[in-house]
């Protein structure tokens, strides 16, 4: 498992996403986990970055007792769908 908690704010499938997909296809025991990003303030759609098909893209949540709590997506978390219509973040 590799954690990559950065993004570029671009919501479309790019060359780096293709590279991640190819690497993970060739190494099925390897998983890249990406933070969805922090571009979702104001319910901004299509703001998730790192939209490779084999990555696990994870949204942010709040701590218990803050906002709606740990069971809900934080209001600043980037959200999908991806530009090509896939559901992102994955969790």
């Amino acid at each position: 498992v590799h954690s990559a908690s950065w993004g570029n704010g671009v919501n479309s499938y790019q060359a780096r996403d293709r590279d991640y997909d190819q690497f993970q296809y060739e190494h099925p025991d390897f998983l890249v986990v990406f933070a969805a990003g922090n571009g979702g303030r104001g319910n901004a759609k299509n703001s998730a970055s790192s939209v490779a098909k084999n990555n696990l893209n994870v949204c942010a949540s709040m701590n218990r007792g803050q906002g709606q709590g740990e069971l809900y997506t934080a209001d600043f978390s980037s959200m999908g769908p991806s530009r090509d219509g896939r559901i992102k973040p994955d969790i």
Side-chain angles (χ1 to χ4, degrees), residues 41-57:
R41 188 142 328 264
N43 204 27
K45 302 295 184 198
N46 299 322
S47 56
S49 58
S50 307
V51 296
K53 297 172 182 169
N54 294 325
N55 287 352
L56 180 62
N57 193 278

